Amino acid sequence: MMAQGSGDQRAVGIVDPEESSPNMIVYRKIEDIITKMQDDKTGGVPVRTVKSFLSKIPSVVTGTDIVQWLMKNLSIEDPVEAIHLGSLIAAQGYVFPISDHVLTMKDDGTFYRFQAPYFWPSNCWEPENTDYAIYLCKRTMQNKARLELADYEAENLARLQRAFARKWEFIFMQAEAQVKIDRKKDKTERKILDSQERAFWDVHRPVPGCVNTTEMDIRKCRRLKNPQKVKKSVYGVTEESQSQSPVHIPSQPIRKTTKEDIRKQITFLNAQIDRHCLKMSKVAESLIAYTEQYMEYDPLITPAEPSNPWISDDIALWDIEMSKEPSQQRVKRWGFSFDEILKDQVGRDQFLRFLESEFSSENLRFWLAVQDLKKQPLQDVARRVEEIWQEFLAPGAPSAINLDSHSYEITSQNVKDGGRYTFEDAQEHIYKLMKSDSYARFLRSNAYQDLLLAKKKGKSLAGKRLTGLMQSS
């Protein structure tokens, strides 16, 4: 924080969280400034509708107007200090630009809009991922290009859909209901509300690489001061979660730390100490072993044989990759991990033949069917779910798979309201079963060993022939 004008900052309540614990008094003082700024009777910042090309931009102010108002009404002489103060206010979401996601103040003609009191931080908002999922779903239901999802939002939506697979239908219904309500509102009002909601999520789910707080996030500071309230969530560690969207709650006076709070904190820290830790030497050994194992498969380290088609005219490498007869290097890679053989089409075919010889091919066919289900269009999902259920899991199914009672019960409940991730638990169980049992037997089988030795022998014979040709020439 700048030395000049620091007294003025304390006067208006913008306090460094490291110097004073964050509390409602800070928010209330900021809100007093925002209220005066919007009051036309006492000389507030002029809020107006600006004409743009083929449209109008309602209820906006410019950055210059805000900076000038702060200098005049808070007795700030340095414009830089006023801009800094405005950025501190914007970082908490009270004022936001309508053209980008960076919550800072600029002393120019950039258009800003005041946040609705409903979204003010003093209402103790700590939104859950379910709230964010509903917001992103609402955005996907909009037709206007200005409300299309950005790349990072689309990725977040995909992750949330996987995380909340079992309750996704409920989340989608909530989003639909809110969209129906919004469509009944006036077009101008809806445009303002959309921008205010977007600004709220710019504070609580900022754009990657965009730091909106200028010194220290007050919410993060509060979590650090109360570690006993932290628990695991979808993306790692969050505060005590709520089952529904956050609501307005009255501010509570700050209470002093009690002995019980200290005991809880000690219990939490002891639990962290007892967590399993891995020695750095073991981690280094694992990384070295992994690097050595995959070194010959890295085209930046080991040149491809035959030559790389991207830097030469020889396309033999592509022909080999597309061939049903895999190379010795490719067969060897199947033995690195179960995922390697599943990623390779030829490897899956070889593994399927082995399972057919053991009369257990239904496991792999079920796993592949569930993988394909996740890529199906939405209108085909329900039909495909029923087909998979009838083929692999229903009583008397022609290709019944062996599931434990817990996974079967969960899957049976999921099928009643089928979605792309209905068989997630069953698929995970079958994956572990194949990895620990069938895959290990496949690597020890004559089928794999013969394939591996045949490729080595073929490579050796080819080398001898090439040597002979070179000598004769």
Side-chain angles (χ1 to χ4, degrees), residues 316-350:
L317 180 63
W318 288 341
D319 294 335
I320 292 174
E321 291 296 324
M322 295 174 63
S323 173
K324 293 293 183 180
E325 293 295 329
S327 63
Q328 186 265 342
Q329 188 184 38
R330 191 170 173 183
V331 174
K332 179 182 174 184
R333 186 166 181 170
W334 298 347
F336 290 173
S337 69
F338 187 43
D339 290 326
E340 290 291 348
I341 198 170
L342 290 179
K343 287 190 298 185
D344 193 325
Q345 176 64 49
V346 179
R348 288 200 304 269
D349 293 341
Q350 294 289 340

PDB file of all heavy atoms in Angstrom, residues 316-350:
ATOM      1  N   ALA A 316       6.430 -43.976 -43.908  1.00  0.00           N
ATOM      2  CA  ALA A 316       6.412 -45.362 -43.433  1.00  0.00           C
ATOM      3  C   ALA A 316       5.945 -45.457 -41.984  1.00  0.00           C
ATOM      4  O   ALA A 316       5.285 -46.419 -41.595  1.00  0.00           O
ATOM      5  CB  ALA A 316       7.804 -45.979 -43.586  1.00  0.00           C
ATOM      6  N   LEU A 317       6.286 -44.455 -41.166  1.00  0.00           N
ATOM      7  CA  LEU A 317       5.902 -44.483 -39.763  1.00  0.00           C
ATOM      8  C   LEU A 317       4.390 -44.479 -39.610  1.00  0.00           C
ATOM      9  O   LEU A 317       3.840 -45.208 -38.781  1.00  0.00           O
ATOM     10  CB  LEU A 317       6.506 -43.284 -39.018  1.00  0.00           C
ATOM     11  CG  LEU A 317       6.173 -43.185 -37.521  1.00  0.00           C
ATOM     12  CD1 LEU A 317       6.736 -44.374 -36.771  1.00  0.00           C
ATOM     13  CD2 LEU A 317       6.707 -41.890 -36.931  1.00  0.00           C
ATOM     14  N   TRP A 318       3.693 -43.667 -40.408  1.00  0.00           N
ATOM     15  CA  TRP A 318       2.233 -43.629 -40.343  1.00  0.00           C
ATOM     16  C   TRP A 318       1.636 -44.956 -40.787  1.00  0.00           C
ATOM     17  O   TRP A 318       0.654 -45.425 -40.215  1.00  0.00           O
ATOM     18  CB  TRP A 318       1.700 -42.497 -41.209  1.00  0.00           C
ATOM     19  CG  TRP A 318       1.947 -41.133 -40.634  1.00  0.00           C
ATOM     20  CD1 TRP A 318       2.246 -40.853 -39.343  1.00  0.00           C
ATOM     21  CD2 TRP A 318       1.930 -39.895 -41.329  1.00  0.00           C
ATOM     22  NE1 TRP A 318       2.413 -39.506 -39.167  1.00  0.00           N
ATOM     23  CE2 TRP A 318       2.226 -38.881 -40.367  1.00  0.00           C
ATOM     24  CE3 TRP A 318       1.703 -39.528 -42.637  1.00  0.00           C
ATOM     25  CZ2 TRP A 318       2.292 -37.538 -40.693  1.00  0.00           C
ATOM     26  CZ3 TRP A 318       1.761 -38.181 -42.956  1.00  0.00           C
ATOM     27  CH2 TRP A 318       2.056 -37.192 -42.009  1.00  0.00           C
ATOM     28  N   ASP A 319       2.231 -45.558 -41.804  1.00  0.00           N
ATOM     29  CA  ASP A 319       1.739 -46.863 -42.269  1.00  0.00           C
ATOM     30  C   ASP A 319       1.874 -47.918 -41.183  1.00  0.00           C
ATOM     31  O   ASP A 319       0.988 -48.763 -40.996  1.00  0.00           O
ATOM     32  CB  ASP A 319       2.507 -47.293 -43.521  1.00  0.00           C
ATOM     33  CG  ASP A 319       2.228 -46.378 -44.709  1.00  0.00           C
ATOM     34  OD1 ASP A 319       1.143 -45.748 -44.707  1.00  0.00           O
ATOM     35  OD2 ASP A 319       3.072 -46.288 -45.612  1.00  0.00           O
ATOM     36  N   ILE A 320       2.979 -47.857 -40.439  1.00  0.00           N
ATOM     37  CA  ILE A 320       3.191 -48.819 -39.352  1.00  0.00           C
ATOM     38  C   ILE A 320       2.170 -48.611 -38.237  1.00  0.00           C
ATOM     39  O   ILE A 320       1.604 -49.555 -37.697  1.00  0.00           O
ATOM     40  CB  ILE A 320       4.629 -48.696 -38.800  1.00  0.00           C
ATOM     41  CG1 ILE A 320       5.633 -49.166 -39.853  1.00  0.00           C
ATOM     42  CG2 ILE A 320       4.796 -49.486 -37.510  1.00  0.00           C
ATOM     43  CD1 ILE A 320       7.077 -48.941 -39.456  1.00  0.00           C
ATOM     44  N   GLU A 321       1.915 -47.347 -37.893  1.00  0.00           N
ATOM     45  CA  GLU A 321       0.969 -47.047 -36.826  1.00  0.00           C
ATOM     46  C   GLU A 321      -0.445 -47.485 -37.190  1.00  0.00           C
ATOM     47  O   GLU A 321      -1.230 -47.908 -36.337  1.00  0.00           O
ATOM     48  CB  GLU A 321       0.988 -45.552 -36.510  1.00  0.00           C
ATOM     49  CG  GLU A 321       2.259 -45.076 -35.851  1.00  0.00           C
ATOM     50  CD  GLU A 321       2.481 -45.689 -34.492  1.00  0.00           C
ATOM     51  OE1 GLU A 321       1.482 -45.902 -33.767  1.00  0.00           O
ATOM     52  OE2 GLU A 321       3.631 -45.997 -34.158  1.00  0.00           O
ATOM     53  N   MET A 322      -0.807 -47.367 -38.469  1.00  0.00           N
ATOM     54  CA  MET A 322      -2.149 -47.747 -38.911  1.00  0.00           C
ATOM     55  C   MET A 322      -2.281 -49.242 -39.167  1.00  0.00           C
ATOM     56  O   MET A 322      -3.391 -49.760 -39.314  1.00  0.00           O
ATOM     57  CB  MET A 322      -2.500 -46.980 -40.194  1.00  0.00           C
ATOM     58  CG  MET A 322      -2.617 -45.470 -40.002  1.00  0.00           C
ATOM     59  SD  MET A 322      -2.858 -44.585 -41.560  1.00  0.00           S
ATOM     60  CE  MET A 322      -4.429 -45.260 -42.075  1.00  0.00           C
ATOM     61  N   SER A 323      -1.160 -49.938 -39.193  1.00  0.00           N
ATOM     62  CA  SER A 323      -1.183 -51.359 -39.494  1.00  0.00           C
ATOM     63  C   SER A 323      -1.764 -52.164 -38.347  1.00  0.00           C
ATOM     64  O   SER A 323      -1.670 -51.788 -37.171  1.00  0.00           O
ATOM     65  CB  SER A 323       0.240 -51.846 -39.793  1.00  0.00           C
ATOM     66  OG  SER A 323       0.273 -53.247 -39.926  1.00  0.00           O
ATOM     67  N   LYS A 324      -2.392 -53.281 -38.674  1.00  0.00           N
ATOM     68  CA  LYS A 324      -2.916 -54.198 -37.652  1.00  0.00           C
ATOM     69  C   LYS A 324      -1.784 -54.985 -37.000  1.00  0.00           C
ATOM     70  O   LYS A 324      -1.988 -55.647 -35.984  1.00  0.00           O
ATOM     71  CB  LYS A 324      -3.922 -55.172 -38.288  1.00  0.00           C
ATOM     72  CG  LYS A 324      -5.207 -54.510 -38.770  1.00  0.00           C
ATOM     73  CD  LYS A 324      -6.022 -53.977 -37.605  1.00  0.00           C
ATOM     74  CE  LYS A 324      -7.342 -53.373 -38.076  1.00  0.00           C
ATOM     75  NZ  LYS A 324      -8.146 -52.845 -36.954  1.00  0.00           N
ATOM     76  N   GLU A 325      -0.580 -54.952 -37.612  1.00  0.00           N
ATOM     77  CA  GLU A 325       0.575 -55.647 -37.062  1.00  0.00           C
ATOM     78  C   GLU A 325       1.430 -54.637 -36.307  1.00  0.00           C
ATOM     79  O   GLU A 325       2.176 -53.870 -36.918  1.00  0.00           O
ATOM     80  CB  GLU A 325       1.378 -56.303 -38.191  1.00  0.00           C
ATOM     81  CG  GLU A 325       0.661 -57.427 -38.892  1.00  0.00           C
ATOM     82  CD  GLU A 325       0.418 -58.611 -37.953  1.00  0.00           C
ATOM     83  OE1 GLU A 325       1.243 -58.813 -37.041  1.00  0.00           O
ATOM     84  OE2 GLU A 325      -0.588 -59.300 -38.133  1.00  0.00           O
ATOM     85  N   PRO A 326       1.343 -54.580 -34.999  1.00  0.00           N
ATOM     86  CA  PRO A 326       2.071 -53.569 -34.240  1.00  0.00           C
ATOM     87  C   PRO A 326       3.564 -53.858 -34.205  1.00  0.00           C
ATOM     88  O   PRO A 326       3.992 -55.014 -34.293  1.00  0.00           O
ATOM     89  CB  PRO A 326       1.459 -53.664 -32.840  1.00  0.00           C
ATOM     90  CG  PRO A 326       1.010 -55.087 -32.736  1.00  0.00           C
ATOM     91  CD  PRO A 326       0.558 -55.475 -34.115  1.00  0.00           C
ATOM     92  N   SER A 327       4.337 -52.800 -34.042  1.00  0.00           N
ATOM     93  CA  SER A 327       5.787 -52.942 -33.936  1.00  0.00           C
ATOM     94  C   SER A 327       6.173 -53.474 -32.559  1.00  0.00           C
ATOM     95  O   SER A 327       5.365 -53.478 -31.616  1.00  0.00           O
ATOM     96  CB  SER A 327       6.452 -51.584 -34.174  1.00  0.00           C
ATOM     97  OG  SER A 327       6.055 -50.666 -33.164  1.00  0.00           O
ATOM     98  N   GLN A 328       7.425 -53.917 -32.445  1.00  0.00           N
ATOM     99  CA  GLN A 328       7.909 -54.450 -31.171  1.00  0.00           C
ATOM    100  C   GLN A 328       7.897 -53.369 -30.101  1.00  0.00           C
ATOM    101  O   GLN A 328       7.570 -53.624 -28.945  1.00  0.00           O
ATOM    102  CB  GLN A 328       9.331 -55.000 -31.361  1.00  0.00           C
ATOM    103  CG  GLN A 328       9.871 -55.718 -30.133  1.00  0.00           C
ATOM    104  CD  GLN A 328      10.712 -54.810 -29.247  1.00  0.00           C
ATOM    105  OE1 GLN A 328      11.163 -53.754 -29.687  1.00  0.00           O
ATOM    106  NE2 GLN A 328      10.907 -55.223 -28.011  1.00  0.00           N
ATOM    107  N   GLN A 329       8.215 -52.137 -30.474  1.00  0.00           N
ATOM    108  CA  GLN A 329       8.191 -51.025 -29.525  1.00  0.00           C
ATOM    109  C   GLN A 329       6.783 -50.789 -28.997  1.00  0.00           C
ATOM    110  O   GLN A 329       6.579 -50.536 -27.815  1.00  0.00           O
ATOM    111  CB  GLN A 329       8.721 -49.767 -30.217  1.00  0.00           C
ATOM    112  CG  GLN A 329       8.915 -48.583 -29.278  1.00  0.00           C
ATOM    113  CD  GLN A 329       9.354 -47.344 -30.027  1.00  0.00           C
ATOM    114  OE1 GLN A 329       8.890 -47.089 -31.141  1.00  0.00           O
ATOM    115  NE2 GLN A 329      10.242 -46.561 -29.440  1.00  0.00           N
ATOM    116  N   ARG A 330       5.809 -50.925 -29.896  1.00  0.00           N
ATOM    117  CA  ARG A 330       4.405 -50.712 -29.507  1.00  0.00           C
ATOM    118  C   ARG A 330       3.911 -51.824 -28.587  1.00  0.00           C
ATOM    119  O   ARG A 330       3.233 -51.574 -27.591  1.00  0.00           O
ATOM    120  CB  ARG A 330       3.571 -50.656 -30.782  1.00  0.00           C
ATOM    121  CG  ARG A 330       2.157 -50.182 -30.626  1.00  0.00           C
ATOM    122  CD  ARG A 330       1.575 -49.963 -32.013  1.00  0.00           C
ATOM    123  NE  ARG A 330       0.168 -49.666 -32.008  1.00  0.00           N
ATOM    124  CZ  ARG A 330      -0.552 -49.489 -33.104  1.00  0.00           C
ATOM    125  NH1 ARG A 330       0.035 -49.596 -34.303  1.00  0.00           N
ATOM    126  NH2 ARG A 330      -1.841 -49.213 -33.045  1.00  0.00           N
ATOM    127  N   VAL A 331       4.275 -53.077 -28.895  1.00  0.00           N
ATOM    128  CA  VAL A 331       3.870 -54.208 -28.047  1.00  0.00           C
ATOM    129  C   VAL A 331       4.497 -54.099 -26.672  1.00  0.00           C
ATOM    130  O   VAL A 331       3.861 -54.373 -25.653  1.00  0.00           O
ATOM    131  CB  VAL A 331       4.264 -55.532 -28.732  1.00  0.00           C
ATOM    132  CG1 VAL A 331       3.989 -56.714 -27.801  1.00  0.00           C
ATOM    133  CG2 VAL A 331       3.505 -55.709 -30.037  1.00  0.00           C
ATOM    134  N   LYS A 332       5.750 -53.668 -26.631  1.00  0.00           N
ATOM    135  CA  LYS A 332       6.442 -53.512 -25.357  1.00  0.00           C
ATOM    136  C   LYS A 332       5.749 -52.488 -24.473  1.00  0.00           C
ATOM    137  O   LYS A 332       5.665 -52.648 -23.247  1.00  0.00           O
ATOM    138  CB  LYS A 332       7.887 -53.093 -25.624  1.00  0.00           C
ATOM    139  CG  LYS A 332       8.719 -52.871 -24.374  1.00  0.00           C
ATOM    140  CD  LYS A 332      10.116 -52.401 -24.750  1.00  0.00           C
ATOM    141  CE  LYS A 332      10.924 -52.038 -23.502  1.00  0.00           C
ATOM    142  NZ  LYS A 332      12.267 -51.496 -23.879  1.00  0.00           N
ATOM    143  N   ARG A 333       5.217 -51.454 -25.087  1.00  0.00           N
ATOM    144  CA  ARG A 333       4.574 -50.382 -24.313  1.00  0.00           C
ATOM    145  C   ARG A 333       3.295 -50.862 -23.628  1.00  0.00           C
ATOM    146  O   ARG A 333       2.905 -50.324 -22.603  1.00  0.00           O
ATOM    147  CB  ARG A 333       4.279 -49.200 -25.238  1.00  0.00           C
ATOM    148  CG  ARG A 333       3.747 -47.981 -24.528  1.00  0.00           C
ATOM    149  CD  ARG A 333       3.801 -46.770 -25.420  1.00  0.00           C
ATOM    150  NE  ARG A 333       3.305 -45.570 -24.744  1.00  0.00           N
ATOM    151  CZ  ARG A 333       3.419 -44.337 -25.218  1.00  0.00           C
ATOM    152  NH1 ARG A 333       4.021 -44.130 -26.381  1.00  0.00           N
ATOM    153  NH2 ARG A 333       2.941 -43.307 -24.545  1.00  0.00           N
ATOM    154  N   TRP A 334       2.631 -51.864 -24.186  1.00  0.00           N
ATOM    155  CA  TRP A 334       1.421 -52.386 -23.551  1.00  0.00           C
ATOM    156  C   TRP A 334       1.688 -52.895 -22.140  1.00  0.00           C
ATOM    157  O   TRP A 334       0.791 -52.929 -21.301  1.00  0.00           O
ATOM    158  CB  TRP A 334       0.826 -53.525 -24.385  1.00  0.00           C
ATOM    159  CG  TRP A 334       0.390 -53.119 -25.750  1.00  0.00           C
ATOM    160  CD1 TRP A 334       0.227 -51.848 -26.223  1.00  0.00           C
ATOM    161  CD2 TRP A 334       0.083 -53.987 -26.845  1.00  0.00           C
ATOM    162  NE1 TRP A 334      -0.171 -51.865 -27.540  1.00  0.00           N
ATOM    163  CE2 TRP A 334      -0.271 -53.167 -27.950  1.00  0.00           C
ATOM    164  CE3 TRP A 334       0.056 -55.366 -27.009  1.00  0.00           C
ATOM    165  CZ2 TRP A 334      -0.636 -53.692 -29.175  1.00  0.00           C
ATOM    166  CZ3 TRP A 334      -0.307 -55.897 -28.235  1.00  0.00           C
ATOM    167  CH2 TRP A 334      -0.639 -55.068 -29.313  1.00  0.00           C
ATOM    168  N   GLY A 335       2.918 -53.310 -21.897  1.00  0.00           N
ATOM    169  CA  GLY A 335       3.258 -53.857 -20.589  1.00  0.00           C
ATOM    170  C   GLY A 335       3.574 -52.814 -19.542  1.00  0.00           C
ATOM    171  O   GLY A 335       3.775 -53.150 -18.370  1.00  0.00           O
ATOM    172  N   PHE A 336       3.616 -51.525 -19.924  1.00  0.00           N
ATOM    173  CA  PHE A 336       3.936 -50.474 -18.956  1.00  0.00           C
ATOM    174  C   PHE A 336       2.810 -50.285 -17.944  1.00  0.00           C
ATOM    175  O   PHE A 336       3.046 -50.129 -16.753  1.00  0.00           O
ATOM    176  CB  PHE A 336       4.212 -49.158 -19.673  1.00  0.00           C
ATOM    177  CG  PHE A 336       5.495 -49.150 -20.460  1.00  0.00           C
ATOM    178  CD1 PHE A 336       5.817 -48.079 -21.278  1.00  0.00           C
ATOM    179  CD2 PHE A 336       6.378 -50.213 -20.396  1.00  0.00           C
ATOM    180  CE1 PHE A 336       6.987 -48.052 -22.007  1.00  0.00           C
ATOM    181  CE2 PHE A 336       7.563 -50.214 -21.117  1.00  0.00           C
ATOM    182  CZ  PHE A 336       7.863 -49.132 -21.927  1.00  0.00           C
ATOM    183  N   SER A 337       1.567 -50.262 -18.439  1.00  0.00           N
ATOM    184  CA  SER A 337       0.416 -50.060 -17.552  1.00  0.00           C
ATOM    185  C   SER A 337      -0.848 -50.499 -18.274  1.00  0.00           C
ATOM    186  O   SER A 337      -0.853 -50.658 -19.501  1.00  0.00           O
ATOM    187  CB  SER A 337       0.289 -48.591 -17.136  1.00  0.00           C
ATOM    188  OG  SER A 337      -0.080 -47.789 -18.233  1.00  0.00           O
ATOM    189  N   PHE A 338      -1.898 -50.688 -17.497  1.00  0.00           N
ATOM    190  CA  PHE A 338      -3.175 -51.107 -18.071  1.00  0.00           C
ATOM    191  C   PHE A 338      -3.740 -50.014 -18.979  1.00  0.00           C
ATOM    192  O   PHE A 338      -4.376 -50.298 -20.004  1.00  0.00           O
ATOM    193  CB  PHE A 338      -4.147 -51.436 -16.942  1.00  0.00           C
ATOM    194  CG  PHE A 338      -5.444 -52.043 -17.413  1.00  0.00           C
ATOM    195  CD1 PHE A 338      -5.471 -53.020 -18.396  1.00  0.00           C
ATOM    196  CD2 PHE A 338      -6.659 -51.637 -16.877  1.00  0.00           C
ATOM    197  CE1 PHE A 338      -6.658 -53.583 -18.835  1.00  0.00           C
ATOM    198  CE2 PHE A 338      -7.852 -52.198 -17.305  1.00  0.00           C
ATOM    199  CZ  PHE A 338      -7.842 -53.169 -18.291  1.00  0.00           C
ATOM    200  N   ASP A 339      -3.508 -48.752 -18.614  1.00  0.00           N
ATOM    201  CA  ASP A 339      -4.016 -47.651 -19.433  1.00  0.00           C
ATOM    202  C   ASP A 339      -3.379 -47.634 -20.821  1.00  0.00           C
ATOM    203  O   ASP A 339      -4.016 -47.231 -21.796  1.00  0.00           O
ATOM    204  CB  ASP A 339      -3.765 -46.307 -18.732  1.00  0.00           C
ATOM    205  CG  ASP A 339      -4.632 -46.133 -17.505  1.00  0.00           C
ATOM    206  OD1 ASP A 339      -5.775 -46.618 -17.525  1.00  0.00           O
ATOM    207  OD2 ASP A 339      -4.167 -45.514 -16.529  1.00  0.00           O
ATOM    208  N   GLU A 340      -2.126 -48.054 -20.913  1.00  0.00           N
ATOM    209  CA  GLU A 340      -1.443 -48.058 -22.202  1.00  0.00           C
ATOM    210  C   GLU A 340      -2.123 -49.002 -23.189  1.00  0.00           C
ATOM    211  O   GLU A 340      -2.290 -48.673 -24.362  1.00  0.00           O
ATOM    212  CB  GLU A 340       0.028 -48.444 -22.023  1.00  0.00           C
ATOM    213  CG  GLU A 340       0.885 -47.402 -21.335  1.00  0.00           C
ATOM    214  CD  GLU A 340       1.090 -46.168 -22.186  1.00  0.00           C
ATOM    215  OE1 GLU A 340       0.770 -46.196 -23.382  1.00  0.00           O
ATOM    216  OE2 GLU A 340       1.573 -45.156 -21.640  1.00  0.00           O
ATOM    217  N   ILE A 341      -2.505 -50.174 -22.727  1.00  0.00           N
ATOM    218  CA  ILE A 341      -3.140 -51.136 -23.632  1.00  0.00           C
ATOM    219  C   ILE A 341      -4.559 -50.710 -23.980  1.00  0.00           C
ATOM    220  O   ILE A 341      -5.061 -50.980 -25.072  1.00  0.00           O
ATOM    221  CB  ILE A 341      -3.120 -52.555 -23.023  1.00  0.00           C
ATOM    222  CG1 ILE A 341      -3.373 -53.596 -24.124  1.00  0.00           C
ATOM    223  CG2 ILE A 341      -4.127 -52.700 -21.894  1.00  0.00           C
ATOM    224  CD1 ILE A 341      -3.145 -55.016 -23.680  1.00  0.00           C
ATOM    225  N   LEU A 342      -5.235 -49.998 -23.057  1.00  0.00           N
ATOM    226  CA  LEU A 342      -6.589 -49.520 -23.350  1.00  0.00           C
ATOM    227  C   LEU A 342      -6.576 -48.367 -24.345  1.00  0.00           C
ATOM    228  O   LEU A 342      -7.529 -48.183 -25.098  1.00  0.00           O
ATOM    229  CB  LEU A 342      -7.284 -49.084 -22.053  1.00  0.00           C
ATOM    230  CG  LEU A 342      -7.673 -50.194 -21.072  1.00  0.00           C
ATOM    231  CD1 LEU A 342      -8.321 -49.596 -19.824  1.00  0.00           C
ATOM    232  CD2 LEU A 342      -8.611 -51.205 -21.715  1.00  0.00           C
ATOM    233  N   LYS A 343      -5.500 -47.571 -24.364  1.00  0.00           N
ATOM    234  CA  LYS A 343      -5.414 -46.436 -25.280  1.00  0.00           C
ATOM    235  C   LYS A 343      -5.134 -46.872 -26.716  1.00  0.00           C
ATOM    236  O   LYS A 343      -5.424 -46.138 -27.654  1.00  0.00           O
ATOM    237  CB  LYS A 343      -4.319 -45.466 -24.815  1.00  0.00           C
ATOM    238  CG  LYS A 343      -4.674 -44.666 -23.579  1.00  0.00           C
ATOM    239  CD  LYS A 343      -3.663 -43.570 -23.310  1.00  0.00           C
ATOM    240  CE  LYS A 343      -2.289 -44.095 -23.033  1.00  0.00           C
ATOM    241  NZ  LYS A 343      -1.332 -43.024 -22.657  1.00  0.00           N
ATOM    242  N   ASP A 344      -4.534 -48.065 -26.873  1.00  0.00           N
ATOM    243  CA  ASP A 344      -4.125 -48.551 -28.192  1.00  0.00           C
ATOM    244  C   ASP A 344      -5.210 -49.458 -28.764  1.00  0.00           C
ATOM    245  O   ASP A 344      -5.579 -50.460 -28.153  1.00  0.00           O
ATOM    246  CB  ASP A 344      -2.805 -49.311 -28.068  1.00  0.00           C
ATOM    247  CG  ASP A 344      -2.165 -49.580 -29.425  1.00  0.00           C
ATOM    248  OD1 ASP A 344      -2.916 -49.821 -30.399  1.00  0.00           O
ATOM    249  OD2 ASP A 344      -0.927 -49.569 -29.503  1.00  0.00           O
ATOM    250  N   GLN A 345      -5.740 -49.110 -29.935  1.00  0.00           N
ATOM    251  CA  GLN A 345      -6.806 -49.899 -30.548  1.00  0.00           C
ATOM    252  C   GLN A 345      -6.365 -51.343 -30.794  1.00  0.00           C
ATOM    253  O   GLN A 345      -7.094 -52.290 -30.498  1.00  0.00           O
ATOM    254  CB  GLN A 345      -7.233 -49.251 -31.863  1.00  0.00           C
ATOM    255  CG  GLN A 345      -8.277 -50.033 -32.648  1.00  0.00           C
ATOM    256  CD  GLN A 345      -9.607 -50.139 -31.917  1.00  0.00           C
ATOM    257  OE1 GLN A 345     -10.134 -49.122 -31.443  1.00  0.00           O
ATOM    258  NE2 GLN A 345     -10.151 -51.337 -31.789  1.00  0.00           N
ATOM    259  N   VAL A 346      -5.166 -51.527 -31.325  1.00  0.00           N
ATOM    260  CA  VAL A 346      -4.663 -52.878 -31.572  1.00  0.00           C
ATOM    261  C   VAL A 346      -4.449 -53.615 -30.256  1.00  0.00           C
ATOM    262  O   VAL A 346      -4.739 -54.814 -30.145  1.00  0.00           O
ATOM    263  CB  VAL A 346      -3.356 -52.829 -32.388  1.00  0.00           C
ATOM    264  CG1 VAL A 346      -2.810 -54.234 -32.630  1.00  0.00           C
ATOM    265  CG2 VAL A 346      -3.580 -52.098 -33.704  1.00  0.00           C
ATOM    266  N   GLY A 347      -3.961 -52.905 -29.250  1.00  0.00           N
ATOM    267  CA  GLY A 347      -3.783 -53.527 -27.935  1.00  0.00           C
ATOM    268  C   GLY A 347      -5.099 -53.979 -27.343  1.00  0.00           C
ATOM    269  O   GLY A 347      -5.191 -55.066 -26.742  1.00  0.00           O
ATOM    270  N   ARG A 348      -6.146 -53.163 -27.482  1.00  0.00           N
ATOM    271  CA  ARG A 348      -7.466 -53.561 -26.977  1.00  0.00           C
ATOM    272  C   ARG A 348      -7.970 -54.808 -27.699  1.00  0.00           C
ATOM    273  O   ARG A 348      -8.567 -55.694 -27.076  1.00  0.00           O
ATOM    274  CB  ARG A 348      -8.467 -52.415 -27.149  1.00  0.00           C
ATOM    275  CG  ARG A 348      -8.251 -51.257 -26.213  1.00  0.00           C
ATOM    276  CD  ARG A 348      -9.510 -50.416 -26.081  1.00  0.00           C
ATOM    277  NE  ARG A 348      -9.987 -49.931 -27.359  1.00  0.00           N
ATOM    278  CZ  ARG A 348      -9.626 -48.766 -27.904  1.00  0.00           C
ATOM    279  NH1 ARG A 348      -8.761 -47.998 -27.275  1.00  0.00           N
ATOM    280  NH2 ARG A 348     -10.117 -48.381 -29.064  1.00  0.00           N
ATOM    281  N   ASP A 349      -7.734 -54.857 -29.022  1.00  0.00           N
ATOM    282  CA  ASP A 349      -8.175 -56.033 -29.779  1.00  0.00           C
ATOM    283  C   ASP A 349      -7.464 -57.297 -29.301  1.00  0.00           C
ATOM    284  O   ASP A 349      -8.088 -58.357 -29.142  1.00  0.00           O
ATOM    285  CB  ASP A 349      -7.920 -55.816 -31.272  1.00  0.00           C
ATOM    286  CG  ASP A 349      -8.783 -54.707 -31.853  1.00  0.00           C
ATOM    287  OD1 ASP A 349      -9.807 -54.368 -31.219  1.00  0.00           O
ATOM    288  OD2 ASP A 349      -8.432 -54.168 -32.923  1.00  0.00           O
ATOM    289  N   GLN A 350      -6.165 -57.192 -29.063  1.00  0.00           N
ATOM    290  CA  GLN A 350      -5.410 -58.354 -28.579  1.00  0.00           C
ATOM    291  C   GLN A 350      -5.875 -58.771 -27.184  1.00  0.00           C
ATOM    292  O   GLN A 350      -6.015 -59.956 -26.888  1.00  0.00           O
ATOM    293  CB  GLN A 350      -3.906 -58.030 -28.555  1.00  0.00           C
ATOM    294  CG  GLN A 350      -3.283 -57.802 -29.912  1.00  0.00           C
ATOM    295  CD  GLN A 350      -3.169 -59.082 -30.713  1.00  0.00           C
ATOM    296  OE1 GLN A 350      -3.203 -60.182 -30.165  1.00  0.00           O
ATOM    297  NE2 GLN A 350      -3.038 -58.943 -32.034  1.00  0.00           N
TER     298      GLN A 350
END
